[in-house]
């Protein structure tokens, strides 16, 4: 397994999170879109726009040379502008993105677990997410204790208690 380390995400990591948001959006190589096309979509961009707002928290995985290879972060959305995985006011919605060449090497799991620790440490009770059912990451979420609370045509909203 390749060597990586995880650190907390800082305000200056907005570009890294945007890169990992593109990775997350392009999980299906057959439907991959250029970075600019992903980030011009306001429904996608809102997951990183204005990072780091009050209530935002996350972590970044870096390779042995300090290059970012993945990130996982959480953001609160209001009820009148919910995210895709919105379940309730006060429940942060997470995003997880890992570079293609680093997938299936433990990076996503390590990031997800660290985000859970950060959430619990900051007083958050639950985390939510939205994942397309065809996305292999759904198996990771299930193995980490996320349960489906809503199913839509192609995606599920999942939640996990962190405390």
């Amino acid at each position: 397994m390749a060597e990586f380390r995880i650190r907390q995400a800082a305000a200056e990591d907005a570009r890294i999170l945007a890169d990992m948001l593109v990775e997350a959006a392009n999980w299906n190589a057959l439907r991959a879109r250029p970075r600019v096309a992903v980030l011009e979509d306001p429904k996608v961009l809102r997951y990183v726009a204005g990072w780091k707002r009050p209530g935002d928290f996350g972590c970044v995985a870096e390779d042995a040379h300090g290059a970012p290879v993945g990130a996982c972060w959480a953001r609160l959305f209001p009820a009148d502008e919910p995210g895709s995985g919105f379940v309730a006011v006060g429940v942060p919605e997470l995003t997880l993105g890992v570079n293609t060449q680093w997938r299936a090497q433990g990076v996503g799991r390590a990031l997800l677990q660290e985000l859970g620790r950060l959430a619990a440490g900051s007083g958050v009770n639950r985390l939510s997410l939205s994942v397309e059912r065809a996305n292999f990451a759904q198996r990771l979420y299930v193995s980490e204790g996320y349960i489906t609370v809503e199913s839509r045509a192609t995606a599920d909203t999942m939640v996990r208690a962190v405390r």
Side-chain angles (χ1 to χ4, degrees), residues 27 96 103-104 108-109 112-113 129-148 156 158 160:
W27 67 269
L96 172 64
R103 293 179 185 163
R109 183 176 306 278
L112 199 57
Q113 290 172 348
L129 61 89
S130 176
V131 61
E132 290 184 53
R133 273 193 289 294
N135 188 333
F136 53 85
Q138 188 171 35
R139 291 188 301 273
L140 168 64
Y141 300 135
V142 169
S143 74
E144 288 296 321
Y146 286 81
I147 58 167
T148 300
D156 291 332
M158 303 179 84
R160 176 181 167 240

Side-chain angles (χ1 to χ4, degrees), residues 85-103:
F86 182 86
V87 294
V89 171
V91 177
E93 183 177 343
L94 74 83
T95 303
L96 172 64
V98 177
N99 285 346
T100 306
Q101 64 272 22
W102 282 84
R103 293 179 185 163

Side-chain angles (χ1 to χ4, degrees), residues 109-122:
R109 183 176 306 278
L111 285 164
L112 199 57
Q113 290 172 348
E114 180 61 18
L115 190 77
R117 284 189 284 278
L118 291 172
S122 65

Side-chain angles (χ1 to χ4, degrees), residues 65-86:
H65 305 289
V69 299
C72 189
W73 65 98
R75 172 165 269 190
L76 292 168
F77 290 101
D80 61 344
E81 293 182 42
S84 300
F86 182 86

Side-chain angles (χ1 to χ4, degrees), residues 4-131:
F4 64 91
R5 72 177 190 94
I6 296 178
R7 63 169 176 79
Q8 282 194 24
E12 56 272 11
D13 289 323
R15 171 85 183 190
I16 294 168
L17 271 53
D19 291 344
M20 296 308 143
L21 182 59
V22 172
E23 292 284 353
N26 285 334
W27 67 269
N28 182 339
L30 299 176
R31 294 188 341 221
R33 297 178 291 161
R35 183 179 201 280
V36 68
V38 172
L39 295 178
E40 71 184 10
D41 181 344
K43 290 183 178 185
V44 175
L45 181 61
R46 66 205 207 125
Y47 286 93
V48 293
W51 175 267
K52 184 174 187 197
R53 325 186 290 209
D56 289 351
F57 59 96
C59 47
V60 174
E62 298 175 332
D63 69 12
H65 305 289
V69 299
C72 189
W73 65 98
R75 172 165 269 190
L76 292 168
F77 290 101
D80 61 344
E81 293 182 42
S84 300
F86 182 86
V87 294
V89 171
V91 177
E93 183 177 343
L94 74 83
T95 303
L96 172 64
V98 177
N99 285 346
T100 306
Q101 64 272 22
W102 282 84
R103 293 179 185 163
Q105 296 187 50
V107 175
R109 183 176 306 278
L111 285 164
L112 199 57
Q113 290 172 348
E114 180 61 18
L115 190 77
R117 284 189 284 278
L118 291 172
S122 65
V124 170
N125 292 317
R126 297 182 294 162
L127 289 169
S128 71
L129 61 89
S130 176
V131 61

